[in-house]
Amino acid sequence: MNNQLSFDWPTGVALGPDDFFVSEANAQAFAMLEAPDSWPERKLVIAGPTGCGKSHLARIFHNQQGGVIIDAGTLPADYQTDAQTVIVEDMETLPKAAEEAMFHLHNHLRNTGGTLLMTAQTPPSRWSITLPDLASRMQATTLTQISNPDDALLQALIMKLFADRQIAPKPNLVAYLASRIERSFAAAADIVARLDATALASGDKINRKLAKRLLDNPG
């Protein structure tokens, strides 16, 4: 993996490794994915807010390691797999009916030397898992968290959001937005989406003037 940009927003997002920007906010998670042999029991949870790049990192890891990617929210109650690398996304959405299947999947991978990567918005201690044996095993999993973006990542994220919409903003607009919005992945996605929608509806150019108008009138 090279210097790249973290982001998992749904508007035509590029998910290749060259699109992931490493900064202080996500450097630990990025580094840990390069060394799965160092994970205790070869299992890891990446936690962070919506849009922080969890899914992007999971797909980069999948491209490198193979295996399967599963959405926890749709995990069947009878799920089984022979894959030795399993990625389970959005673990906080795991249905109660699938908790036993997740428990057996965890134990199968541990017993066979497989690798388990999980993503979530919150740490395992906050997941509403009712099966005690599964809850204890999840809470014992190594955790790495992605924090809200620093200045470098926020500007890179805004540029990436525009690029995903095939918009080429001037650098001064990116710096202006980064200085005015809340330092979060959601805020960056919101202002770029609003700028794009407003420009399409009104014919206005996407520039600092339009950005100021939207930021001054958030409703």
Side-chain angles (χ1 to χ4, degrees):
M1 302 182 197
N2 302 318
N3 265 355
Q4 307 157 355
L5 168 58
S6 92
F7 181 61
D8 56 5
W9 210 252
T11 307
V13 177
L15 291 177
D18 291 337
D19 302 304
F20 194 94
F21 182 88
V22 180
S23 80
E24 184 176 344
N26 57 32
Q28 183 185 54
F30 182 83
M32 291 193 73
L33 286 190
E34 293 192 307
D37 290 341
S38 70
W39 308 349
E41 296 189 337
R42 294 187 68 87
K43 59 181 182 177
L44 178 72
V45 172
I46 300 177
T50 299
C52 72
K54 302 183 298 292
S55 289
H56 193 168
L57 283 173
R59 281 157 180 75
I60 291 173
F61 188 73
H62 177 255
N63 288 340
Q64 292 187 333
Q65 302 290 328
V68 296
I69 300 180
I70 308 165
D71 179 358
T74 60
L75 186 72
D78 59 352
Y79 182 78
Q80 297 182 34
T81 180
D82 293 328
Q84 282 297 287
T85 297
V86 178
I87 300 165
V88 185
E89 293 238 59
D90 302 319
M91 273 295 296
E92 59 269 272
T93 68
L94 182 73
K96 287 180 172 54
E99 289 184 3
E100 189 169 343
M102 186 67 205
F103 175 68
H104 290 307
L105 172 63
H106 168 278
N107 289 347
H108 166 71
L109 291 170
R110 183 187 62 184
N111 294 336
T112 60
T115 301
L116 176 61
L117 173 65
M118 295 170 283
T119 70
Q121 292 189 35
T122 59
S125 60
R126 296 178 59 186
W127 300 348
S128 57
I129 293 175
T130 58
L131 185 64
D133 286 342
L134 177 61
S136 64
R137 283 159 176 77
M138 295 296 95
Q139 292 173 26
T141 302
T142 300
L143 170 68
T144 182
Q145 293 186 269
I146 299 176
S147 58
N148 279 323
D150 51 34
D151 288 340
L153 180 55
L154 185 59
Q155 291 198 39
L157 174 62
I158 292 169
M159 292 175 65
K160 176 69 165 58
L161 288 164
F162 277 124
D164 289 336
R165 294 171 180 270
Q166 298 185 330
I167 299 169
K170 292 184 178 180
N172 66 345
L173 174 60
V174 174
Y176 174 75
L177 291 173
S179 70
R180 288 287 310 274
I181 66 172
E182 174 188 283
R183 189 177 293 182
S184 72
F185 298 96
D190 177 69
I191 189 58
V192 171
R194 289 174 61 206
L195 282 165
D196 189 20
T198 302
L200 286 172
S202 66
D204 293 337
K205 292 183 178 180
I206 294 178
N207 52 28
R208 282 187 56 164
K209 181 179 178 180
L210 179 60
K212 184 178 187 304
R213 173 153 59 89
L214 294 181
L215 291 169
D216 289 344
N217 298 278

